[in-house]
Amino acid sequence: MNIASSPLHLMNLLGSVANVKTFARSLTSSLMQEKTFCPQHYDVDPNTGCFPPEPLPQLPRPFSFWENALAEVQGVLYLGNDESDEALDKREAGENWRAQVRSWPVIETTVLHENIRYLQKAHMVLAFIMHFYVHSTPPTEDNSPIHIPRAICVPLVAVSQALGTAPVLTFADTVLWNWTFINPELPLSADNIRYVTLLSGTDAERAFYEVSGIVELKGVEMLQIIESFMLLPNTTDYASVAKISRDLSQLKKIVEELTDIFLSIRDAVDPKAFHWQCRPWWSGAPAPSSSQPEWIFEGVPKSATVDVSGPSAGQSTVMHALDVFLDIDHRLTQKRQPAPSESNKKADTGFMERMRRYMPRLHREYLARIGDVPQSVREVANATPTLREPYNAAVAALKRLRDVHIRIVTLYVVTMSHSAPPTDIKRKIQEEGIARGTGGNEASSLLKAGRDATTRAMLKD
């Protein structure tokens, strides 16, 4: 007999509990636990955010030749179109390294799939190797395609699918996974992190990763505010409204600190070194209209290599989380004022959504989860007059951050793309026209559209 259909059995069950109220509290607690937001379920650490709390481990022995090859390549490879004396002297060594990669066996990665840290390490190592391989290959007169060996492509696509991310170098590879401790006795912090793999080998590249890492670690405080909002039992009583107000005020301060971190890049990273020595290595597969050689991924279907634009700060889960929390409408689906300009409408409104495909699947699910709330903080603030001012102040701080970001990108990307290379750089330059960000996207219009979408989130009286 079904227990639920028998009053006698049900009474016996309740009798086994100290009292009915205890049973009810136990049941309620169980149901609440199912609904509780737990960032760790999405590989988001409460103290380190999207960083793993420890450096990624070495891969198991059958995969160690990948890591060995990546370690050996530092200082050996130069950009394929680099015609400086140093680069020409190393060209034979570079071809020997690429020949070694072509001789590798294609190995099965299934044993890595049960350990997320192994998957992350494999993705990082293979993606760096792929970018080294492609961008160190000298261009041909007929601009023939670059064939990426199946020994790279097949396992890279396999681990990418397991992680739910793109089979190319991503923000996670360069910033979140590519580090070790300075002092292993201390926890991860902005002062205790050293980036390991550098494509260009330059101080500018290392400094760029360091500034990006500081942004991510500071962003952990934003994630804690978001989690706190999601765990509120309600958003209408006095205590909850007071807490939301305090948290929004604190969020404003955090965003202002992030703006200062963004600005610090001007002292840390030389614009010419960034543009001419770092950015070429980060480039992903070119668009069909590009003058650059096509990338051919051997041994995998084309459908598996759709998202291969390369790393971009637009792939930062932390910054996406801030947009989701404040309900910034990048896709222009809401009727907000002021109305989008013609330039806004022409910009790629799907850019932010597309950048999520370069995040690990768990981080995309994290963003979906923090967006899945009965009421966004914007809706709560709109319905609660005392919250409008702190909400608008937080949005205004984000708008100012985006103004600063526009100025930085103008200096490092737009201006540099119209400048001549430094005299010490001897390189065959292929014109690409419009200035694009590190993810291969038109820079100015995208950033201005993002800034204007932020402005439209402001609540009106």
Side-chain angles (χ1 to χ4, degrees):
M1 179 181 292
N2 187 302
I3 291 178
S5 65
S6 169
L8 179 60
H9 280 78
L10 183 57
M11 289 303 296
N12 288 339
L13 176 63
L14 292 177
S16 68
V17 184
N19 56 59
V20 175
K21 289 184 178 180
T22 302
F23 177 79
R25 282 198 299 269
S26 175
L27 180 60
T28 301
S29 175
S30 176
L31 292 173
M32 286 298 292
Q33 284 176 5
E34 291 182 9
K35 295 182 178 181
T36 296
F37 174 60
C38 182
Q40 292 95 317
H41 292 167
Y42 306 96
D43 194 31
V44 176
D45 187 270
N47 298 311
T48 61
C50 296
F51 277 102
E54 302 280 338
L56 297 182
Q58 287 190 325
L59 293 171
R61 187 175 298 276
F63 306 90
S64 59
F65 68 94
W66 293 345
E67 291 188 82
N68 293 339
L70 183 58
E72 291 166 3
V73 81
Q74 302 282 301
V76 173
L77 296 186
Y78 286 72
L79 288 166
N81 62 357
D82 189 340
E83 298 187 329
S84 66
D85 291 340
E86 297 89 342
L88 294 176
D89 287 344
K90 294 282 189 178
R91 192 160 283 184
E92 182 178 356
E95 176 49 36
N96 290 339
W97 181 85
R98 289 189 298 276
Q100 175 191 346
V101 172
R102 289 193 293 271
S103 72
W104 285 352
V106 178
I107 57 176
E108 173 62 51
T109 63
T110 305
V111 68
L112 303 176
H113 293 200
E114 294 181 2
N115 185 319
I116 191 171
R117 302 305 177 214
Y118 282 159
L119 283 172
Q120 291 167 345
K121 184 63 170 282
H123 191 280
M124 184 196 74
V125 169
L126 288 167
F128 266 111
I129 287 173
M130 182 174 73
H131 279 246
F132 270 124
Y133 186 97
V134 170
H135 293 301
S136 69
T137 301
T140 59
E141 291 298 325
D142 61 356
N143 210 34
S144 57
I146 295 176
H147 290 256
I148 306 170
R150 64 184 61 236
I152 299 174
C153 298
V154 173
L156 177 57
V157 167
V159 297
S160 298
Q161 290 176 343
L163 286 167
T165 191
V168 71
L169 200 67
T170 67
F171 179 84
D173 293 306
T174 55
V175 175
L176 301 179
W177 302 338
N178 173 32
W179 61 276
T180 190
F181 289 127
I182 295 173
N183 183 349
E185 302 300 317
L186 298 175
L188 176 63
S189 70
D191 298 322
N192 193 35
I193 185 170
R194 179 177 66 83
Y195 283 93
V196 177
T197 301
L198 304 176
L199 290 157
S200 66
T202 61
D203 291 338
E205 183 180 357
R206 187 185 301 279
F208 184 73
Y209 295 157
E210 288 171 348
V211 172
S212 300
I214 293 170
V215 170
E216 291 292 304
L217 288 171
K218 186 65 185 177
V220 174
E221 297 175 32
M222 298 192 304
L223 302 185
Q224 292 167 347
I225 287 173
I226 293 170
E227 178 182 356
S228 178
F229 175 79
M230 295 187 68
L231 294 178
L232 285 173
N234 68 73
T235 57
T236 57
D237 65 35
Y238 178 82
S240 296
V241 169
K243 176 169 176 49
I244 294 170
S245 180
R246 290 194 303 271
D247 284 350
L248 286 170
S249 297
Q250 180 62 24
L251 183 62
K252 169 183 174 288
K253 294 177 183 178
I254 296 168
V255 175
E256 288 172 342
E257 292 182 57
L258 289 176
T259 303
D260 291 338
I261 297 169
F262 273 48
L263 284 168
S264 72
I265 200 169
R266 297 181 301 183
D267 296 325
V269 180
D270 177 70
K272 289 184 178 179
F274 176 84
H275 183 79
W276 293 103
Q277 295 177 272
C278 303
R279 291 187 77 241
W281 289 103
W282 293 323
S283 296
S289 59
S290 172
S291 61
Q292 301 292 331
E294 177 187 4
W295 294 17
I296 295 179
F297 293 76
E298 293 186 344
V300 297
K302 280 194 173 183
S303 60
T305 58
V306 173
D307 298 311
V308 285
S309 294
S312 166
Q315 299 160 10
S316 165
T317 303
V318 163
M319 296 308 297
H320 278 252
L322 178 59
D323 277 343
V324 172
F325 179 62
L326 293 176
D327 194 15
I328 309 300
D329 178 28
H330 289 287
R331 295 189 65 86
L332 306 183
T333 58
Q334 306 294 324
K335 289 185 179 180
R336 296 178 178 175
Q337 297 299 322
S341 67
E342 288 304 313
S343 175
N344 292 161
K345 293 176 183 177
K346 291 178 182 177
D348 183 359
T349 57
F351 169 73
M352 296 296 279
E353 198 69 32
R354 192 167 63 256
M355 286 297 97
R356 293 189 187 187
R357 301 204 296 261
Y358 291 79
M359 301 173 187
R361 181 189 297 110
L362 286 175
H363 288 177
R364 283 198 304 279
E365 291 176 353
Y366 172 80
L367 293 174
R369 178 66 183 85
I370 64 176
D372 182 23
V373 289
Q375 279 189 307
S376 70
V377 73
R378 184 176 188 270
E379 291 170 322
V380 172
N382 194 39
T384 313
T386 57
L387 292 178
R388 289 190 179 190
E389 182 179 346
Y391 171 82
N392 280 345
V395 173
L398 179 56
K399 186 264 184 186
R400 288 192 293 273
L401 181 148
R402 291 201 154 120
D403 284 333
V404 166
H405 193 196
I406 290 170
R407 296 205 301 270
I408 291 171
V409 170
T410 299
L411 172 61
Y412 282 82
V413 178
V414 180
T415 301
M416 288 297 105
S417 70
H418 295 106
S419 68
T423 54
D424 61 338
I425 291 182
K426 299 177 182 178
R427 192 179 303 164
K428 289 182 180 178
I429 305 298
Q430 292 175 293
E431 295 297 328
E432 284 297 312
I434 235 161
R436 298 184 179 274
T438 48
N441 303 280
E442 187 178 343
S444 296
S445 64
L446 278 173
L447 293 177
K448 289 176 181 177
R451 184 266 317 276
D452 294 346
T454 303
T455 301
R456 280 191 292 275
M458 300 277 284
L459 294 171
K460 309 300 186 291
D461 293 330

